[in-house]
């Protein structure tokens, strides 16, 4: 009788002890699913039929630099598992949800391990064209409706970020202005760098003047569908051709840190003054993408001569 009782007890413990594992095997079927990204947010996700595994984390989690990072799952970084009533799609994650969620598990604790490595051009083995970020969940706990499920290691997958190299090669291009507005700009072929800033930066005071990039001191990089000319930005009615295809907006500045417009003024003759315009540690954004022409340093926009 005692042996029979012990046998039942052991069987019960084995069944209950494996319960969390069985649920995971039956529920998390993302092994063949690829990591996808929402176009308008920094959300990564995997879909398998009516299930989704969603990782929200800042784009800065995936820098274009080789190395390993450990990111705590807290604050702006979260992991959620969702089961829908029927087959789901990216619209329910990135857009306006239309399907009911029948089950939702949230993660507490743990971290992301992100291992970033270079991807080289197949035709030019020395040119880095992108970075691969291998994402692994470490020591995470899913809080399910009736239990907790713990993973020591869960491989979420790989996420690729492209190396962005905008055409900021305006060194040989002339600095130009418009008579009817405050715009100062340079263009080359189909792209342009534009400053719409306080004219007080260009008074005849000798020395260096600074201002933060802001809603009133705007810096923009634009790409058009065709070649530009001298009059394109100065016409009263903006031309419709060539059309704007990309726009990168400089982030607002932070005092003594980033996004600083510098104007170094010297007197060239009794009646002329030279203004050397620089952008310090400036980051341009388009959606969730970012680009800096000179991280942590000055980017020289060019010279402007005034009388």
């Amino acid at each position: 009788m005692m042996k029979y009782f012990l046998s039942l007890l052991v069987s019960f413990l084995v069944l209950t002890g494996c319960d969390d594992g069985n649920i995971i095997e039956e529920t998390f079927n993302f092994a063949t699913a690829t990591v996808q990204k929402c176009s308008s947010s920094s959300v990564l996700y995997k879909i398998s039929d009516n299930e989704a595994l969603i990782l929200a984390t800042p784009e800065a989690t995936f820098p274009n630099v080789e190395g390993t990072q450990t990111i705590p799952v807290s604050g702006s970084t979260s992991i959620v598992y969702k089961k829908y009533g029927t087959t789901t799609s990216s619209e329910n994650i990135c857009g306006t949800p239309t399907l009911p969620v029948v089950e939702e598990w949230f993660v507490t604790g743990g971290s992301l391990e992100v291992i970033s490595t270079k991807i080289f051009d197949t035709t030019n083995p020395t040119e880095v064209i992108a970075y691969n970020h291998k994402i692994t969940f470490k020591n995470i706990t899913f809080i399910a409706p009736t239990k907790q499920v713990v993973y020591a290691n869960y491989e979420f997958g790989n996420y690729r970020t492209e190396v962005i190299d905008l055409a900021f090669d305006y060194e040989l291009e002339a600095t130009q202005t418009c008579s009817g507005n405050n715009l100062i700009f340079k263009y080359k072929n189909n792209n342009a760098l534009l400053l719409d800033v306080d004219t007080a930066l260009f008074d005849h005071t000798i020395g260096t003047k600074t201002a933060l990039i802001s809603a009133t001191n705007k810096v923009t990089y634009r790409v058009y569908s065709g070649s530009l000319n001298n009059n394109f930005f100065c016409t009263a009615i903006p031309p419709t051709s060539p059309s704007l295809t990309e726009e990168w907006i400089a982030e607002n500045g932070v005092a003594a840190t980033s996004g600083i417009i510098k104007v170094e003024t010297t007197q060239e003759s009794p009646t002329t003054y030279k203004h050397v315009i620089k952008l310090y540690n400036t980051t341009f954004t388009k959606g969730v993408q970012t680009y800096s022409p000179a991280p942590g340093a000055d980017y020289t926009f060019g010279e402007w001569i005034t009388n």
Side-chain angles (χ1 to χ4, degrees):
M1 186 69 176
M2 180 60 71
K3 289 183 179 179
Y4 176 73
F5 174 75
L6 288 175
S7 178
L8 286 175
L9 179 60
V10 170
S11 298
F12 174 76
L13 291 174
V14 168
L15 287 172
T16 55
C18 295
D19 191 45
D20 285 359
N22 288 339
I23 284 182
I24 289 297
E25 290 173 3
E26 293 172 3
T27 306
F28 280 23
N29 300 310
F30 298 100
T32 60
T34 58
V35 175
Q36 300 180 68
K37 183 179 183 300
C38 294
S39 60
S40 59
S41 68
S42 56
V43 171
L44 304 180
Y45 61 94
K46 298 176 83 171
I47 289 176
S48 178
D49 193 36
N50 66 330
E51 302 167 282
L53 189 56
I54 304 165
L55 166 63
T57 188
E59 194 71 16
T61 300
F62 309 106
N64 283 347
V65 178
E66 281 197 311
T68 300
Q69 290 190 90
T70 300
I71 312 294
V73 179
S74 63
S76 58
T77 296
S78 63
I79 303 168
V80 180
Y81 163 80
K82 292 184 179 184
K83 179 182 282 187
Y84 297 87
T86 185
T87 301
T88 189
S89 66
S90 60
E91 182 63 26
N92 288 293
I93 300 167
C94 305
T96 302
T98 58
L99 294 179
V101 176
V102 297
E103 199 167 329
E104 192 167 29
W105 299 7
F106 296 92
V107 164
T108 61
S111 60
L112 309 180
E113 179 188 74
V114 180
I115 301 175
S116 303
T117 54
K118 295 175 181 177
I119 298 175
F120 293 92
D121 188 352
T122 54
T123 59
N124 182 4
T126 62
E127 182 183 357
V128 180
I129 59 171
Y131 282 79
N132 181 72
H133 309 280
K134 181 182 177 183
I135 307 166
T136 303
F137 301 158
K138 297 279 190 177
N139 300 313
I140 60 171
T141 301
F142 281 92
I143 305 299
T146 59
K147 62 184 69 190
Q148 295 183 359
V149 181
V150 178
Y151 268 115
N153 291 280
Y154 183 89
E155 290 192 8
F156 180 67
N158 295 299
Y159 170 53
R160 171 176 169 143
T161 55
E162 304 298 322
V163 172
I164 299 171
D165 187 14
L166 301 182
F168 272 67
D169 53 342
Y170 298 106
E171 183 178 355
L172 301 180
E173 307 306 320
T175 301
Q176 303 192 54
T177 62
C178 297
S179 59
N181 55 46
N182 295 337
L183 200 63
I184 301 172
F185 63 95
K186 284 187 168 188
Y187 75 90
K188 184 177 182 180
N189 300 324
N190 70 329
N191 55 78
L193 187 56
L194 303 94
L195 278 69
D196 186 359
V197 298
D198 186 355
T199 56
L201 287 168
F202 306 102
D203 65 21
H204 294 167
T205 304
I206 307 302
T208 300
K209 297 176 283 294
T210 63
L212 294 179
I213 295 173
S214 65
T216 54
N217 289 307
K218 296 178 283 189
V219 183
T220 309
Y221 172 83
R222 293 177 180 171
V223 181
Y224 291 83
S225 60
S227 296
L228 302 168
N229 58 48
N230 290 348
N231 299 319
F232 184 84
F233 297 102
C234 297
T235 57
I237 300 175
T240 57
S241 180
S243 59
L244 180 66
T245 59
E246 287 187 51
E247 185 172 57
W248 295 71
I249 307 297
E251 294 180 351
N252 286 348
V254 178
T257 302
S258 64
I260 302 169
I261 304 168
K262 298 180 180 179
V263 178
E264 300 169 354
T265 301
T266 56
Q267 188 168 6
E268 297 295 288
S269 75
T271 58
T272 61
Y273 295 81
K274 181 174 73 174
H275 310 279
V276 178
I277 308 167
K278 299 179 179 180
L279 305 174
Y280 175 73
N281 196 22
T282 299
T283 299
F284 292 79
T285 64
K286 180 172 75 76
V288 297
Q289 293 181 300
T290 62
Y291 175 78
S292 177
D298 285 333
Y299 168 78
T300 300
F301 174 84
E303 298 178 357
W304 184 29
I305 304 298
T306 62
N307 298 314

